[in-house]
Amino acid sequence: MKYFRSMSQPAKTSPRAATASDTPESPAGTKAAAQRLKMRRELAAAAMELFATKGYEATTVDEIAATAGVARRTFFRHFRSKEEAIFPDHDDTLTRAEAVLDAAPAHEHPLDTVCRGIKEVMKMYAASPAVSVERYRLTREVPALREREIASVARYERLFTRYLLAHFDEHEPHDGNDDPLLAEVAASAVVTAHNHVLRRWLRAGGQGDVEAQLDHAFSIVRNTFGSGIGAGRTPHAGAQAPAEEAAAVRTQGEVLVAVARTDAPLDEVMRTIEEALRLKQ
């Protein structure tokens, strides 16, 4: 499974993301977005309070709106249902994750970019540990909330799958029909690693160095699914491949020249050199 970062053909993004990145948001727009998020969070807090005291089934949208001090129509301007209100930040977090993908540096491995993207989700939960722990408890108890959470996770997986699929190296020999499967498996592995760490952190009451735990989980994913990705690729015609890859090699007569980024893992550099030596034999 190999990926590349094309300089002439950027990864596909949604129209919404393209518009946001091409048009700077005005101060008024920024203020309106902040007010919108504030109201969504207030409605979510009211919903969680009522779910915890009255129970999910017994709580109505009218009661949530009244507890938040707004009208029923205000609730429906922000959420389509009461189960949606329990996850007020996922839309904004998905947009931030997409922005990470769009702004990724050319030299970064696509799998690393996806790992950075999903860290936006962890930041969302870690910003309010107490709220996140209570939300986790509710989603374990209420099937409708659990289904809503699963639907949110699927959105991240689709985003990351599209991104990885757009970075396969068409110059490498492989069965093109496998590309969607490989991209989906890799994206799913990143999301699964994140969710495993998140659940463990939530079960611990939001205590512990969750970022270190997440980095460890991502290293396992990279070692499992990233073996050979981007290592020892033949540069495309006209491309400046050494600057974009973790390690690259070329031969000059009987001399083997290796070029690697200073942050490249040693095992990746060694694999690149070993592969070049095998090709010379």
Side-chain angles (χ1 to χ4, degrees):
M1 179 167 49
K2 297 189 176 184
Y3 304 112
F4 79 109
R5 186 176 302 284
S6 169
M7 301 300 290
S8 60
Q9 188 178 18
K12 298 177 182 178
T13 58
S14 67
R16 181 183 64 177
T19 301
S21 62
D22 293 342
T23 305
E25 192 170 17
S26 66
T30 303
K31 183 177 180 180
Q35 290 175 339
R36 171 180 171 275
L37 183 57
K38 180 175 181 292
M39 176 52 64
R40 286 170 64 87
R41 288 176 174 172
E42 289 176 356
L43 287 166
M48 288 180 61
E49 177 184 344
L50 290 169
F51 292 166
T53 56
K54 294 190 61 176
Y56 173 78
E57 295 296 340
T59 299
T60 66
V61 167
D62 288 336
E63 290 173 327
I64 295 173
T67 301
V70 299
R72 173 188 174 90
R73 64 179 179 275
T74 300
F75 177 94
F76 283 111
R77 279 204 296 266
H78 294 276
F79 301 109
R80 290 170 293 184
S81 61
K82 64 180 182 180
E83 61 265 22
E84 188 175 294
I86 204 70
F87 302 105
D89 297 336
H90 272 302
D91 287 346
D92 297 281
T93 302
L94 186 70
T95 299
R96 291 198 304 274
E98 192 168 12
V100 170
L101 306 186
D102 292 341
H107 69 269
E108 186 172 50
H109 192 290
L111 201 55
D112 291 335
T113 303
V114 168
C115 289
R116 286 199 304 111
I118 202 170
K119 277 190 174 183
E120 293 299 318
V121 183
M122 185 62 78
K123 290 177 184 177
M124 175 190 73
Y125 282 94
S128 303
V131 173
S132 298
V133 170
E134 177 61 18
R135 180 188 293 153
Y136 176 71
R137 185 189 67 78
L138 286 171
T139 56
R140 301 284 72 73
E141 296 177 355
V142 182
L145 298 181
R146 177 59 177 160
E147 291 172 5
R148 184 69 197 178
E149 183 182 49
I150 292 172
S152 296
V153 170
R155 295 170 68 193
Y156 294 107
E157 287 196 9
R158 287 194 296 269
L159 171 66
F160 298 145
T161 298
R162 290 195 303 269
Y163 181 79
L164 292 177
L165 185 57
H167 288 78
F168 274 92
D169 188 346
E170 73 262 17
H171 293 274
E172 290 290 341
H174 57 76
D175 182 356
N177 293 329
D178 289 342
D179 286 0
L181 172 62
L182 296 174
E184 187 170 352
V185 168
S188 179
V190 172
V191 173
T192 298
H194 168 273
N195 291 346
H196 174 83
V197 172
L198 175 61
R199 287 192 298 268
R200 187 168 58 188
W201 179 73
L202 291 171
R203 287 195 294 267
Q207 302 297 316
D209 188 347
V210 69
E211 185 171 353
Q213 296 172 26
L214 198 59
D215 287 339
H216 174 69
F218 287 157
S219 70
I220 293 175
V221 172
R222 180 62 184 273
N223 290 338
T224 302
F225 293 94
S227 178
I229 300 177
R233 291 200 303 263
T234 301
H236 302 170
Q240 297 179 350
E244 299 174 12
E245 298 173 355
V249 297
R250 64 179 184 274
T251 58
Q252 297 176 345
E254 296 301 318
V255 178
L256 180 70
V257 179
V259 180
R261 298 200 315 268
T262 56
D263 62 345
L266 180 59
D267 60 340
E268 188 170 334
V269 176
M270 293 304 299
R271 282 197 302 269
T272 304
I273 296 174
E274 290 170 357
E275 178 65 22
L277 290 172
R278 281 196 295 271
L279 293 175
K280 286 290 291 179
Q281 293 176 351

